[in-house]
Amino acid sequence: MSLMQANRRAPQLLSHLNRLGSSSSAHTAGTSSSEPPDPRQPNALELLGPESQRRCMEKMRALPAFPRPKSLTPSRREKQSSAVLIALCQDRGTDEISLLYTRRSRHLRSHSFQISFPGGRRDDQDASYVDCALRETEEEIGLPRHRIQVWGEAKQLHLPRTSSIVPVVGMVPDFSISELRLNCEEVEEAFSVPLQALMVPKATRHTQFRSGYSGPVFVVDHHRIWGITGYLTHLFLHSLLAPTQLPDCLRTNIKFIRPFKMPPKLPHHREHHATDPSMRS
């Protein structure tokens, strides 16, 4: 079962962002970009090299705790645990590095059509969170575990109103979206988004939640990556990229904003009718 993508009531922390880029999809593939290339953009050797891998996993294992809003009371879902796969895909033929996402199936009762990383709830038979992420990935999109070079497990994230999540980072060499075999009961589509497309100002946005927090959003073509998946994408990019490689659009954080105060409720039209002097005879 694919991991719940984002709970609208689950406020997300961090980051000011804005839009554009390119993506390839199992059903619709395409690449578009009007942004000039950033000279700071790392190449594949830098991103996938041992130094990058070491730095990335050190940061992923030291992720900050998610700040729980006082207004959100604990739920039973928070006692469950899940794992997701954040897969760096080295595209076949171009060596372009992209991240792999799925869109939840229309047949799912909750969060259908929302974008997520492959993954799901940890079962009793899973030996580890890595085992859980690889099993769920193979069940959902048919990517065999032997195709994934695992970098390691990140720190467990405890999030409001949903299960705790352990991101598992891996790399898929010589990747082609056509090799995937989707489980249509769980996944509507799978697509990869080039890292460059996530690092341009037009791709980076934010969502304001009712509780007052803002969360990162990435919009690439018709794909809107938000909620928990947007939050994990933001954390991963900050972990993968060296400080000198991080674009300005990913550096700005949105501070906590107090929730909007709702205007006083207007009286019912019958009450209004009774008290309006102009309606008296």
Side-chain angles (χ1 to χ4, degrees):
M1 185 181 299
S2 179
L3 182 66
M4 185 185 310
Q5 204 269 342
N7 200 322
R8 284 184 177 271
R9 296 170 297 176
Q12 306 294 333
L13 175 67
L14 267 86
S15 113
H16 176 12
L17 307 135
N18 257 296
R19 143 149 209 189
L20 179 29
S22 62
S23 67
S24 58
S25 168
H27 302 295
T28 56
T31 302
S32 62
S33 176
S34 59
E35 295 283 337
D38 191 330
R40 294 174 297 185
Q41 183 189 357
N43 57 42
L45 291 178
E46 291 176 317
L47 285 174
L48 304 180
E51 176 60 26
S52 177
Q53 179 178 340
R54 180 197 62 78
R55 180 183 62 248
C56 177
M57 294 315 302
E58 279 186 359
K59 292 183 177 181
M60 291 294 287
R61 294 187 182 110
L63 293 175
F66 191 91
R68 184 186 190 90
K70 296 180 181 179
S71 60
L72 290 181
T73 56
S75 69
R76 289 179 296 176
R77 292 175 178 173
E78 296 177 28
K79 298 180 180 180
Q80 302 167 350
S81 59
S82 304
V84 297
L85 177 67
I86 301 179
L88 283 162
C89 299
Q90 188 172 23
D91 292 340
R92 183 178 303 164
T94 66
D95 286 338
E96 185 175 41
I97 305 301
S98 59
L99 290 182
L100 182 61
Y101 296 93
T102 65
R103 188 185 297 276
R104 287 169 59 83
S105 172
R106 68 186 67 196
H107 303 296
L108 298 176
R109 289 184 295 178
S110 62
H111 305 284
S112 58
F113 292 108
Q114 291 188 5
I115 292 173
S116 65
F117 287 112
R121 189 177 304 171
R122 182 173 177 176
D123 293 340
D124 293 337
Q125 67 267 27
D126 292 326
S128 64
Y129 286 107
V130 169
D131 191 39
C132 172
L134 298 183
R135 173 184 59 78
E136 287 283 352
T137 298
E138 188 164 7
E139 289 178 1
E140 290 179 1
I141 61 176
L143 184 64
R145 61 177 60 209
H146 72 263
R147 289 279 288 117
I148 304 166
Q149 300 175 7
V150 176
W151 285 12
E153 296 179 5
K155 179 181 177 181
Q156 188 173 32
L157 295 173
H158 297 276
L159 305 170
R161 304 289 178 86
T162 188
S163 60
S164 63
I165 301 172
V166 175
V168 174
V169 180
M171 197 274 284
V172 185
D174 193 32
F175 174 76
S176 172
I177 203 77
S178 62
E179 68 182 288
L180 303 181
R181 298 293 179 266
L182 307 187
N183 178 352
C184 295
E185 293 300 314
E186 299 189 38
V187 175
E188 195 73 18
E189 67 170 333
F191 59 95
S192 60
V193 179
L195 284 185
Q196 182 184 9
L198 298 168
M199 295 165 56
V200 295
K202 289 185 179 179
T204 53
R205 301 183 180 184
H206 72 278
T207 292
Q208 175 71 53
F209 290 87
R210 292 178 181 177
S211 59
Y213 282 90
S214 295
V217 178
F218 298 85
V219 180
V220 179
D221 292 341
H222 63 285
H223 299 298
R224 184 173 184 263
I225 303 165
W226 72 291
I228 293 174
T229 305
Y231 178 63
L232 292 178
T233 299
H234 178 83
L235 292 178
F236 178 70
L237 291 176
H238 275 256
S239 300
L240 177 67
L241 301 172
T244 57
Q245 298 169 338
L246 201 65
D248 292 338
C249 61
L250 292 177
R251 292 177 183 271
T252 306
N253 291 336
I254 296 178
K255 296 181 180 179
F256 176 82
I257 304 173
R258 293 184 181 278
F260 294 108
K261 289 186 177 181
M262 298 297 293
K265 186 177 180 181
L266 294 174
H268 192 274
H269 70 279
R270 290 181 179 175
E271 298 175 7
H272 183 75
H273 177 83
T275 58
D276 188 350
S278 65
M279 300 299 293
R280 295 173 184 169
S281 58

